[in-house]
């Protein structure tokens, strides 16, 4: 029996601004519903060794914005969200960053839930975003 079809999110207009070098905070101000903008903000905070609670908060906002966007695009709460489809990467990155931040603050059940959700949504995203950080 076949599962649900893959969800392919539309192109996120924030991506072009991020690609052109616009700061994630400025992009979030212009595109507050953008998963990729929130993912970029969370990733920037993490890369600069910023506050893990801030990373968690940014990733959680992006994750919830992603759920809204996924539902508007036919997702029924489960099924593949392929990493190979670039517009899906904002959601998948938020989910991975949320998992990593949850683990870092000791929220084990949230970490496990997000890790499993990422692996179930996209094994490729799991391999790219969590397999390395989990092993280190």
């Amino acid at each position: 029996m076949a599962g649900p079809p893959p969800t392919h999110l539309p192109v996120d207009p924030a991506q072009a601004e991020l690609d052109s070098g616009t700061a994630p905070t400025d992009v979030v101000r212009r595109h507050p519903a953008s998963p990729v903008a929130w993912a970029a903000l969370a990733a920037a905070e993490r890369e600069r060794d910023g506050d893990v609670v801030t990373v968690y908060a940014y990733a959680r906002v992006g994750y919830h914005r992603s759920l809204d966007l996924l539902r508007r695009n036919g997702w029924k709460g489960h099924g593949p969200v392929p990493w190979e489809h670039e517009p899906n990467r904002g959601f998948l990155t938020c989910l991975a960053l949320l998992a990593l931040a949850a683990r870092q603050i000791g929220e084990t059940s949230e970490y496990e839930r997000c890790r499993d959700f990422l692996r179930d949504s996209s094994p490729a995203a799991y391999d790219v975003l969590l397999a390395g950080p989990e092993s280190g």
Side-chain angles (χ1 to χ4, degrees), residues 3 6 8 14 21-22 27 30 36-38 50 52 54 56 60 62 76 82 86 91 98 104 108 112 115 117 122 133:
H8 294 101
T22 304
V27 177
R30 283 193 289 281
V36 75
W38 286 103
V52 68
T54 302
Y56 182 92
R60 179 156 290 289
K76 302 293 187 211
E86 245 181 271
F91 158 64
L98 182 57
Q104 207 171 349
T108 305
E112 291 170 350
R115 176 201 62 200
F117 186 14
S122 174

Side-chain angles (χ1 to χ4, degrees), residues 10 16 30 38 40 44 54 61 82 89 92 99 109-110 117-118 121 129 131 136:
R30 283 193 289 281
W38 286 103
T54 302
V61 171
R89 291 182 181 187
L92 297 165
S109 63
E110 176 79 346
F117 186 14
L118 181 64
S121 297
L129 301 169

Side-chain angles (χ1 to χ4, degrees), residues 1 16 19 25 28 34 46 59 84 86 96 103 106 113 120:
M1 184 168 175
D19 290 346
T25 52
V28 163
S34 166
R46 186 171 196 266
E84 296 78 10
E86 245 181 271
R103 182 175 66 180
R113 183 186 67 77
D120 293 345

Side-chain angles (χ1 to χ4, degrees), residues 37-83:
W38 286 103
L41 199 55
E45 184 73 12
R46 186 171 196 266
E47 288 167 13
R48 72 173 190 82
D49 292 323
D51 181 19
V52 68
V53 173
T54 302
V55 174
Y56 182 92
Y58 290 156
R60 179 156 290 289
V61 171
Y63 166 75
H64 281 284
R65 294 298 192 145
S66 297
L67 293 177
D68 295 340
L69 186 59
L70 285 162
R71 287 184 192 107
R72 283 194 307 269
N73 284 276
W75 185 74
K76 302 293 187 211
H78 66 284
V81 183
W83 173 257

Side-chain angles (χ1 to χ4, degrees), residues 6-26:
T7 300
H8 294 101
L9 295 175
V11 171
D12 189 328
Q15 186 66 59
E17 292 183 37
L18 292 165
D19 290 346
S20 73
T22 304
T25 52
D26 294 332

